[in-house]
Amino acid sequence: MRAEVHAYVADAARLNRQPVLVLDPLTALDCSEAGYAEWFTEVTEGIEAHRALVVLKDKECEAESPRTTMMTVGVRNLRAAAPGAMVFLDATQLARKQDPPGVARTLATWSVKETAGVAINVGEHTPQAVADRYGIELRQTLAVTTGRRDLYVVADSSRGGVASADGCNPSDARIGSYEVLSDNPETTQHLWLTTPGISDGPCGSAPASKPGQFVPELATGLLAGTP
């Protein structure tokens, strides 16, 4: 892990590019606080002092450690050992079930005040315009909850070009706008946080695929109708 992260961010630095890391802490050795700390040590030692935009994914751990522990351990370790990292907390799963005020309250317990902001729509097919509106409302609510008006909201736009009929490898999904970032936190930012062509699992237009598997047909399908 350490070597892979270091090679990626170092190559980006040589090319004067902004590396983007989407971290899934559930690949840690276990779901304990010690397990997370060990995993994040590997990541942060790979980043070192390099610049990086880091999205900390939100997943429920089946063992003893709750999501709050997972996210706060990540924020604490990244801030301490990777000072060049801009950390964003993934609020995608929260946004499925809660309105922006509810999401903001939960994010406050995840130390969102110590981060650069929040990521939404990660791996989802929500239309870009819908994600943008949700992002603006969430940012406004976070400003009230945290007292910070400089928190950014980044939406995964890799698969949000149109409204899709299904949420799992939909055949009618299309790519969204390509990575539009600005220094204005009042607008929802756009990044491709999911590689086009990555499968959601054995469903939809890729019934024989595995979650996370690259399926060329899914990637080409996203480009249908694109000039």
Side-chain angles (χ1 to χ4, degrees):
M1 172 69 75
R2 182 189 294 109
E4 294 173 342
V5 171
H6 179 74
Y8 175 62
V9 297
D11 285 346
R14 282 192 293 271
L15 296 170
N16 196 29
R17 300 289 181 88
Q18 172 70 68
V20 177
L21 297 166
V22 181
L23 302 182
D24 184 353
L26 289 194
T27 59
L29 295 178
D30 57 60
C31 286
S32 67
E33 185 169 350
Y36 290 142
E38 181 178 346
W39 188 84
F40 277 111
T41 296
E42 290 276 317
V43 173
T44 55
E45 288 181 353
I47 297 174
E48 295 180 325
H50 289 290
R51 293 184 311 155
L53 191 155
V54 178
V55 175
L56 184 53
K57 290 198 73 172
D58 163 33
K59 288 186 178 179
E60 186 69 76
C61 186
E62 295 180 358
E64 71 276 9
S65 185
R67 293 154 82 186
T68 298
T69 298
M70 178 178 75
M71 303 303 265
T72 54
V73 166
V75 171
R76 182 185 65 214
N77 286 24
L78 286 162
R79 280 181 53 82
M86 295 178 62
V87 182
F88 290 80
L89 295 180
D90 174 20
T92 302
Q93 292 199 55
L94 294 176
R96 291 176 183 171
K97 302 176 181 179
Q98 301 180 36
D99 58 13
V103 172
R105 286 192 295 272
T106 300
L107 290 171
T109 70
W110 293 359
S111 302
V112 69
K113 192 174 181 179
E114 308 304 319
T115 71
V118 179
I120 59 174
N121 203 37
V122 179
E124 301 284 292
H125 300 87
T126 304
Q128 202 165 295
V130 176
D132 285 353
R133 289 194 297 270
Y134 190 95
I136 291 172
E137 188 175 352
L138 176 57
R139 182 194 168 278
Q140 293 170 343
T141 308
L142 283 169
V144 174
T145 303
T146 66
R148 284 189 55 185
R149 296 192 168 275
D150 59 343
L151 290 173
Y152 286 82
V153 176
V154 176
D156 184 354
S157 59
S158 60
R159 305 193 287 185
V162 299
S164 299
D166 186 15
C168 193
N169 295 328
S171 60
D172 58 348
R174 299 294 180 266
I175 58 171
S177 65
Y178 181 71
E179 302 189 339
V180 180
L181 296 175
S182 76
D183 58 3
N184 180 10
E186 294 186 3
T187 63
T188 302
Q189 314 291 311
H190 298 149
L191 278 177
W192 284 17
L193 298 174
T194 304
T195 301
I198 290 296
S199 172
D200 299 321
C203 55
S205 56
S209 64
K210 298 178 181 179
Q213 176 185 349
F214 178 76
V215 180
E217 292 77 14
L218 290 176
T220 55
L222 288 169
L223 294 172
T226 302

